[in-house]
Amino acid sequence: MLFFQSRRARMAVSALFAFSATLLTPAIQAQQLQTKFGCNLTRETDGEKVIYGDTGEFKLDGDHIEALRWESALYRPTHGFECSIDTGDGPQAEVRQDGGRDNWRITLKDPVTARRQRGYDFYDHGMNCSIRLQRDGDRLQVIPSCPALCGSRANFTELSVDLKTGECSYQDK
């Protein structure tokens, strides 16, 4: 057992332990998001009935993606389009804090490979994929720009979800 003779030595050792504990504690709490949603809406566009349907799950811990799945569909009386993304597509996350809002940007590590795995050609809608998630209180805004994974559909549908009630709102385009 160590015995420190002087008061100065005891204070130095106490300060060293306190500093070490501070180094082990993260300086900022990681931003987390954990939600599942299911949304649908029927509206009339240009005199034609259009049905939107979306289901998804986002489970993020900072820039670590624990789970990611989103299926977005748009149906018309004569045809429909679907778009989907999941963890098998190689998503990666960046996280930012903007005032009181948490923001994530999901992109693909290799959009060309993800598109090929889904059986789509390379030239229809481009190779980019970005999905922004913006949480402001209990509201999550989902803003996609991901034509790489949508086959013949240009993109996912932009929407917002109330994280407490599950109520969805589709954005007008």
Side-chain angles (χ1 to χ4, degrees), residues 33 35 37 57-60 68 70 93-96 101-106 130-136 139-144 159:
L33 174 66
T35 188
F37 61 90
E57 174 182 19
F58 298 119
K59 191 172 184 184
L60 306 170
L68 180 112
W70 183 15
E94 299 171 34
V95 64
R96 285 184 226 127
R101 295 169 50 167
D102 294 333
N103 295 297
W104 290 266
R105 182 174 173 258
I106 310 292
S130 172
I131 299 170
R132 288 183 293 146
L133 305 173
Q134 299 175 334
R135 182 176 58 200
D136 190 4
R139 199 97 188 134
L140 178 67
Q141 185 78 20
V142 185
I143 306 166
L159 56 95

Side-chain angles (χ1 to χ4, degrees), residues 92-168:
Q92 53 193 6
E94 299 171 34
V95 64
R96 285 184 226 127
Q97 178 88 26
D98 177 19
R101 295 169 50 167
D102 294 333
N103 295 297
W104 290 266
R105 182 174 173 258
I106 310 292
T107 58
L108 298 177
K109 291 177 188 171
D110 186 353
V112 173
T113 299
R115 188 166 176 90
R116 280 184 186 154
Q117 286 176 340
R118 290 187 174 270
Y120 301 133
D121 61 39
F122 314 116
Y123 306 106
D124 276 351
H125 296 286
M127 290 290 99
N128 65 324
C129 181
S130 172
I131 299 170
R132 288 183 293 146
L133 305 173
Q134 299 175 334
R135 182 176 58 200
D136 190 4
D138 292 332
R139 199 97 188 134
L140 178 67
Q141 185 78 20
V142 185
I143 306 166
S145 177
C146 189
L149 294 181
C150 296
S152 60
R153 182 178 177 190
N155 209 347
F156 291 88
T157 304
E158 184 176 337
L159 56 95
S160 67
V161 179
D162 185 309
L163 299 174
K164 281 194 173 185
T165 66
E167 178 186 326
C168 300

Side-chain angles (χ1 to χ4, degrees), residues 3-153:
F3 179 73
F4 296 101
Q5 296 273 334
S6 73
R7 181 173 181 221
R8 183 185 295 184
R10 286 191 303 269
M11 287 174 56
V13 170
S14 294
L16 179 62
F17 284 128
F19 180 70
S20 297
T22 302
L23 290 177
L24 296 174
T25 305
I28 257 181
Q29 181 68 20
Q31 295 152 339
Q32 297 178 335
L33 174 66
Q34 185 171 345
T35 188
K36 290 182 181 182
F37 61 90
C39 308
N40 61 55
L41 172 74
T42 301
R43 70 167 55 141
E44 196 161 306
T45 304
D46 299 326
E48 184 176 52
K49 182 174 146 181
V50 179
I51 301 170
Y52 296 89
D54 292 84
T55 60
E57 174 182 19
F58 298 119
K59 191 172 184 184
L60 306 170
D61 186 1
D63 63 0
H64 175 72
I65 298 173
E66 295 176 17
L68 180 112
R69 178 186 55 79
W70 183 15
E71 296 177 18
S72 183
L74 181 144
Y75 299 107
R76 297 182 182 276
T78 57
H79 62 285
F81 298 104
E82 295 180 353
C83 195
S84 63
I85 187 171
D86 59 40
T87 52
D89 293 310
Q92 53 193 6
E94 299 171 34
V95 64
R96 285 184 226 127
Q97 178 88 26
D98 177 19
R101 295 169 50 167
D102 294 333
N103 295 297
W104 290 266
R105 182 174 173 258
I106 310 292
T107 58
L108 298 177
K109 291 177 188 171
D110 186 353
V112 173
T113 299
R115 188 166 176 90
R116 280 184 186 154
Q117 286 176 340
R118 290 187 174 270
Y120 301 133
D121 61 39
F122 314 116
Y123 306 106
D124 276 351
H125 296 286
M127 290 290 99
N128 65 324
C129 181
S130 172
I131 299 170
R132 288 183 293 146
L133 305 173
Q134 299 175 334
R135 182 176 58 200
D136 190 4
D138 292 332
R139 199 97 188 134
L140 178 67
Q141 185 78 20
V142 185
I143 306 166
S145 177
C146 189
L149 294 181
C150 296
S152 60
R153 182 178 177 190

